Amino acid sequence: MNTTDLSPIPANPDVDQYRKQAKELLAALKAHEEEALRSVRQFHPHWKSFAGLDREFKLSDAQLMVARRNGLESWPKFLKFIDSVVQPHSQVSEFEEAADAVVRGDAAKLRAMLAANPGLVHAKSERVHNSQLIHYIGAN
């Protein structure tokens, strides 16, 4: 299992797939798989509490790590984000679609989206970084 996969969230994400990822991550953590244990330090805010494996991993730990790996602070916020992404024309789905256009280098798509919704220029990501589209443009 690749626990450090930072691939973008698809346009039509499946919450069940992320639940499955969390369960697979939990199994990998309980089996003390090296890659999964390394990801604890990267994605779990209380990673020091697992030092020496004195604390048992729970499903909520794996869910938190899946959420943080995808740029959200918590599992409930991640689920809310996913719910917003799948809603056509929601602020979140439009922002994510515009950000994806930037990352793909699809200037025509971005221009069309900004013409249809000029407010996207001031919109911010729901993810922890809270970036605007200009940040995506600068990074890409």
Side-chain angles (χ1 to χ4, degrees), residues 117-138:
N117 183 358
L120 279 172
V121 169
H122 303 290
K124 292 183 178 182
S125 173
E126 294 288 317
R127 298 179 196 227
V128 173
H129 55 69
N130 212 267
S131 297
Q132 292 180 304
L133 287 175
I134 192 72
H135 297 116
Y136 282 81
I137 292 167

Side-chain angles (χ1 to χ4, degrees), residues 20-135:
K20 182 180 176 191
Q21 280 183 17
K23 289 176 184 175
E24 289 172 354
L25 176 58
L26 178 61
L29 290 167
K30 286 187 173 191
H32 301 162
E33 291 181 16
E34 195 172 318
E35 185 179 349
L37 294 173
R38 276 195 308 266
S39 70
V40 171
R41 188 175 195 152
Q42 186 175 3
F43 297 111
H44 201 293
H46 307 293
W47 63 270
K48 288 183 181 180
S49 67
F50 295 104
L53 301 175
D54 295 330
R55 181 174 167 220
E56 185 175 327
F57 292 101
K58 299 177 182 166
L59 181 58
S60 59
D61 294 311
Q63 290 170 331
L64 174 62
M65 291 170 62
V66 168
R68 291 175 63 94
R69 182 172 64 214
N70 286 285
L72 282 294
E73 292 176 350
S74 67
W75 183 250
K77 287 182 180 182
F78 179 65
L79 294 179
K80 182 179 176 188
F81 176 82
I82 295 296
D83 187 50
S84 296
V85 166
V86 298
Q87 299 301 318
H89 306 294
S90 73
Q91 286 182 325
V92 173
S93 68
E94 287 198 6
F95 181 88
E96 289 294 316
E97 188 177 348
D100 288 345
V102 170
V103 172
R104 287 190 319 271
D106 190 345
K109 171 79 172 181
L110 182 60
R111 257 190 243 98
M113 291 188 74
L114 291 172
N117 183 358
L120 279 172
V121 169
H122 303 290
K124 292 183 178 182
S125 173
E126 294 288 317
R127 298 179 196 227
V128 173
H129 55 69
N130 212 267
S131 297
Q132 292 180 304
L133 287 175
I134 192 72
H135 297 116

